[in-house]
Amino acid sequence: INEIKTNIDALKSFLTVYENPTIFYTGHMALSNFAEYFNLNIRALEESVNPGIDVTSDEVNRFVKELKDNNIKYLFTEELKPLTTAYAIEEILGYKLNLKELHGYHSVSQEDFNNSISYNDLLERNIKNIKEATVLDLMQVKGINKELAEKIYNYYNGENNDWYNSFWFGRN
């Protein structure tokens, strides 16, 4: 439980750096409590909390327009779902996206089951993916220097904390 608390605190801390952090997700809106807790805007293709609702072409077009208008390069997908929708979105956009899983904690793959993957492991996977997408999309959208974005990303992954402290707080 302490590991889970530590991971939760780390993600909350990470996201406080960003104004209205937003990620785009091809799934249904089953992670609203997760999003609310972390003050994270999850822009889901399927606004319904019920899985399997058919989306209309207008909904897909609005979603794609939002991706394009915001120069988004990362797209989150549901666990255990085919990537058909993500590939169709890439086709409409005319460019490849970095596809990352955002696990909804509903079920696990056979591989994760065989490897005894825990809730905390899934949380850590989500956190790593969210950090990567948030920093690198922010770099592209807001024009943050790639080197700075990578240093921030590395800091939040436990690398080079001395640099981060000296850069932001003037301490070594």
Side-chain angles (χ1 to χ4, degrees):
I1 291 192
N2 287 335
E3 285 180 53
I4 293 172
K5 284 182 180 181
T6 299
N7 285 325
I8 287 171
D9 290 345
L11 181 58
K12 284 182 99 170
S13 173
F14 173 80
L15 291 173
T16 61
V17 174
Y18 302 97
E19 182 181 321
N20 193 30
T22 301
I23 61 173
F24 292 81
Y25 179 59
T26 60
H28 65 287
M29 197 51 201
L31 293 166
S32 58
N33 289 335
F34 180 89
E36 184 179 333
Y37 185 81
F38 288 106
N39 198 29
L40 178 66
N41 182 19
I42 298 177
R43 177 65 181 87
L45 175 59
E46 297 177 36
E47 293 295 331
S48 172
V49 295
N50 299 319
I53 301 295
D54 290 334
V55 294
T56 67
S57 59
D58 284 343
E59 290 170 320
V60 172
N61 287 332
R62 277 194 301 274
F63 189 79
V64 169
K65 182 180 180 333
E66 198 172 351
L67 291 170
K68 194 177 275 188
D69 288 350
N70 289 290
N71 195 28
I72 298 301
K73 303 293 185 207
Y74 281 80
L75 182 62
F76 286 84
T77 62
E78 283 184 276
E79 76 277 4
L80 302 178
K81 296 285 184 179
L83 299 176
T84 310
T85 302
Y87 295 149
I89 289 170
E90 286 178 329
E91 178 118 1
I92 296 167
L93 284 170
Y95 61 84
K96 292 278 185 200
L97 294 163
N98 295 297
L99 304 178
K100 297 289 181 182
E101 176 188 272
L102 184 61
H103 207 288
Y105 313 105
H106 296 94
S107 52
V108 295
S109 68
Q110 187 64 51
E111 181 181 351
D112 283 347
F113 179 80
N114 292 344
N115 290 322
S116 301
I117 297 297
S118 68
Y119 172 85
N120 191 56
D121 296 327
L122 297 174
L123 177 63
E124 286 177 348
R125 189 183 302 164
N126 277 351
I127 290 170
K128 180 180 183 293
N129 290 341
I130 290 168
K131 285 179 180 180
E132 179 181 335
T134 305
V135 168
L136 297 179
D137 261 343
L138 188 71
M139 176 189 77
Q140 292 170 1
V141 172
K142 302 288 185 189
I144 291 177
N145 172 299
K146 181 178 181 183
E147 181 182 338
L148 174 57
E150 286 176 350
K151 285 182 178 180
I152 293 169
Y153 174 74
N154 289 338
Y155 164 74
Y156 280 106
N157 283 310
E159 302 169 26
N160 204 359
N161 293 346
D162 292 338
W163 171 87
Y164 182 86
N165 287 330
S166 68
F167 181 83
W168 291 107
F169 306 111
R171 25 177 178 162
N172 292 334

